[in-house]
Amino acid sequence: MHHVENFYGLTVLTVPPYTPATLLPDAASVAWRLQSGLYSTDEDADVCWERFTSTVELEKVRALVLGYGMDRVSWLTDLSDRLTGLEAVFLGDIEDEEEMISSIEQSDVAPLLEAFPGLRELVVRGGSGLKFPVAGHAGLRSLRIESGGLPPEAAESIAAADLPALERLELWLGDDWYGGGTTVEQLAPLLAGARKPALRHLGLQNSPIQDELAAAVASAAVVPQLTSLSLAMGTLSDKGAEALLHGQPLTHLEELDLSHHYLSDEMMLRIWTTLEPAGVRVNLRGKREPDEEWEDDEEEDGASGRYIAVAE
């Protein structure tokens, strides 16, 4: 994982220590990134936040990226009356050298969504402690959760939430060992196409049950409304791909992302010859091979020798 360089269509500017206000760009022209506490040259979180809020025209800020040491949703909600133009938030822009994704602590995001009805995009990196007890949000258009282990309760809440404007949803479900474990049943409202009528891109990614998800997607009512679908980063095998090919047509899609997969060459060819002539861009990069040591023990302990892309 690496720091984002662009967010919400804006170049990310990391707030450097001690920069005079006269040298800062227009507050609406960049995505402001705040980080604290990791390197000796960084300011303490409280100092960094105070300097930012006292030197930048908060009413103009459109996008905020909170990095290491800045994971305090309450700071944003406490200033909701000044951050009136805020449309996009990235919580946990932390790269591997700072902290592994499975260790990134998050919290309840409901107060954030409640305080900012004008929020259009939310990205969360890290699933530990993440809660999403949100009945709905009228304005959110894009939601991405990057996680090595998304708490099943959070995934279930997202699946059930009323998000009428949501166009893009990407969930990295992650591994049981790191707090994941979401089941197909918990995603049922999402797969049924309920409560998210504007959804055009769906990503159910980074899952050890990718074959089960593929089988569920093959008959899911939400699929016809999509223009792109991602089942990438997981343990997809020929079994799951076979279910996709025998399910409802996918030829209406503009893109199908199956990258980081465990498909045979024969299955890859079948997918290409079925979908590419119909104009579907198919991503099959990142072919993986099962770990033979674990694969040999599959009958004993259930191991498949297949691994998701992002866990710890």
Side-chain angles (χ1 to χ4, degrees):
M1 308 301 297
H2 301 286
H3 292 153
V4 293
E5 297 181 356
N6 293 277
F7 179 56
Y8 199 58
L10 302 169
T11 299
V12 173
L13 173 67
T14 300
V15 179
Y18 317 120
T19 300
T22 54
L23 298 180
L24 295 175
D26 180 78
S29 66
V30 298
W32 297 89
R33 182 178 186 279
L34 290 85
Q35 172 173 310
S36 174
L38 182 63
Y39 304 110
S40 59
T41 55
D42 288 339
E43 296 172 316
D44 289 338
D46 293 323
V47 175
C48 181
W49 182 250
E50 173 62 28
R51 185 172 56 81
F52 170 71
T53 56
S54 62
T55 57
V56 174
E57 294 181 84
L58 296 186
E59 292 76 10
K60 289 186 175 182
V61 172
R62 298 175 59 206
L64 277 174
V65 178
L66 301 185
Y68 190 91
M70 306 298 295
D71 51 345
R72 305 188 190 183
V73 169
S74 61
W75 280 348
L76 302 182
T77 57
D78 288 347
L79 287 179
S80 60
D81 59 335
R82 293 182 60 194
L83 289 164
T84 53
L86 189 63
E87 297 179 348
V89 174
F90 191 132
L91 299 175
D93 180 37
I94 297 170
E95 59 184 10
D96 291 341
E97 292 183 358
E98 298 167 328
E99 189 171 10
M100 301 303 291
I101 192 170
S102 60
S103 300
I104 299 174
E105 290 287 337
Q106 293 295 348
S107 60
D108 187 343
V109 300
L112 178 68
L113 291 170
E114 182 178 353
F116 295 97
L119 199 66
R120 297 293 180 263
E121 181 168 349
L122 175 62
V123 178
V124 180
R125 180 175 293 169
S128 181
L130 179 66
K131 297 179 181 179
F132 201 98
V134 178
H137 189 282
L140 196 65
R141 296 174 184 169
S142 179
L143 173 62
R144 184 170 80 250
I145 311 292
E146 301 178 354
S147 172
L150 176 60
E153 296 80 6
E156 188 172 21
S157 296
I158 293 169
D162 283 307
L163 302 172
L166 193 70
E167 299 172 1
R168 297 184 60 85
L169 175 61
E170 185 175 316
L171 302 177
W172 297 14
L173 298 172
D175 196 278
D176 298 18
W177 286 101
Y178 298 100
T182 299
T183 65
V184 170
E185 289 73 22
Q186 289 174 305
L187 298 174
L190 171 61
L191 296 172
R195 306 181 185 126
K196 298 170 183 64
L199 193 66
R200 297 297 178 265
H201 171 78
L202 175 60
L204 298 175
Q205 303 171 206
N206 200 45
S207 173
I209 62 164
Q210 209 74 54
D211 284 344
E212 293 180 45
L213 291 171
V217 164
S219 60
V222 72
V223 171
Q225 75 185 57
L226 303 178
T227 58
S228 58
L229 171 66
S230 177
L231 297 172
M233 304 173 63
T235 60
L236 186 69
S237 72
D238 284 9
K239 181 179 179 181
E242 190 75 44
L244 283 177
L245 290 175
H246 280 86
Q248 62 189 307
L250 300 175
T251 50
H252 68 287
L253 294 175
E254 295 176 4
E255 183 173 5
L256 175 64
D257 188 355
L258 303 178
S259 56
H260 186 282
H261 60 82
Y262 291 83
L263 303 179
S264 66
D265 291 342
E266 293 79 10
M267 181 57 73
M268 292 170 64
L269 181 60
R270 285 181 60 193
I271 293 172
W272 266 318
T273 56
T274 300
L275 297 177
E276 289 278 359
V280 183
R281 296 190 303 274
V282 181
N283 184 351
L284 288 171
R285 292 191 295 269
K287 176 178 169 61
R288 317 289 293 181
E289 296 294 339
D291 186 303
E292 293 182 0
E293 179 181 353
W294 284 104
E295 192 176 27
D296 291 341
D297 294 336
E298 183 171 357
E299 293 185 2
E300 289 186 21
D301 57 16
S304 68
R306 292 179 279 139
Y307 302 93
I308 62 176
V310 177
E312 56 183 2

